Amino acid sequence: MKTPLRLIVTLGAIVALTAACNPFGASSRERLPEDPRFAEFTFDSDNKPTVQERTDSFNERWPGLQATEGHVTIEYSPSDPFPNPDPEFWLTGVATVPDETITALMEGTTSSALLPGIYPGLYQYVPQDCHFSTIDPKHADKTLKGDNTQVNKDFGALPVKALAASSDCHLVVITAIGHSD
């Protein structure tokens, strides 16, 4: 009788552990805080994003940005079922930039009510009283690229997906998608 009881208890433990790890039971996506100023955060990853304080992630990809402070998340998109020699990754961030950068970016202002959809862990670096203008991504790419000698060859230039700039707070909010070479 002891063996069947052990078997039942063992199977019960396996079922409980399996249910706790089931990505289809509860939401497989972390519940993130919402902020109505931002577009929906649509990026996904196999890992939980972490916020890093780094200016190199900005300045070595976009030398024209000239960030003096920056907070960024960078993660690879979910893995393909097959090995991908050129995996996709995304970057979302908030950077403090000088007047010259803001002035150059403002020439590409477009109409959009929402800030780019950055990782919610970055919301704290965007003060509520800042006023932003949405910038055309093509204009942002051209303005921030700098010359090719300035771009770090390990990082490489990264196409801007969405960018907003604040002249009163000297901030940019940015999202970008790239591929590892």
Side-chain angles (χ1 to χ4, degrees):
M1 282 288 213
K2 288 184 179 181
T3 303
L5 182 58
R6 280 190 195 166
L7 182 61
I8 291 171
V9 170
T10 302
L11 287 174
I14 291 170
V15 168
L17 288 172
T18 303
C21 296
N22 183 359
F24 302 108
S27 173
S28 62
R29 210 163 175 187
E30 173 189 0
R31 201 73 181 138
L32 302 170
E34 294 182 21
D35 186 324
R37 300 177 296 161
F38 296 90
E40 180 183 0
F41 176 70
T42 58
F43 300 108
D44 207 358
S45 174
D46 290 337
N47 301 312
K48 180 181 176 188
T50 57
V51 175
Q52 302 173 23
E53 186 173 339
R54 299 179 62 167
T55 56
D56 63 336
S57 291
F58 295 107
N59 293 332
E60 294 185 22
R61 286 183 170 88
W62 303 289
L65 194 62
Q66 303 174 43
T68 56
E69 186 179 340
H71 296 87
V72 65
T73 57
I74 304 171
E75 287 293 336
Y76 283 98
S77 296
S79 300
D80 292 330
F82 303 103
N84 185 352
D86 192 21
E88 179 184 88
F89 67 95
W90 51 264
L91 176 150
T92 67
V94 179
T96 303
V97 298
D99 285 334
E100 306 84 61
T101 302
I102 297 292
T103 301
L105 287 169
M106 288 300 184
E107 294 174 10
T109 301
T110 64
S111 61
S112 177
L114 295 175
L115 295 174
I118 59 174
Y119 177 65
L122 294 165
Y123 293 166
Q124 65 183 315
Y125 302 107
V126 184
Q128 293 285 335
D129 59 346
C130 292
H131 300 93
F132 284 88
S133 297
T134 304
I135 309 301
D136 176 63
K138 289 179 183 173
H139 175 75
D141 275 334
K142 182 178 152 190
T143 302
L144 302 179
K145 183 179 176 184
D147 64 51
N148 285 335
T149 62
Q150 295 176 301
V151 175
N152 181 321
K153 301 305 177 208
D154 291 335
F155 278 10
L158 193 58
V160 173
K161 181 174 179 176
L163 187 138
S166 170
S167 58
D168 56 336
C169 293
H170 294 90
L171 290 177
V172 295
V173 176
I174 190 168
T175 63
I177 295 177
H179 292 88
S180 296
D181 294 331

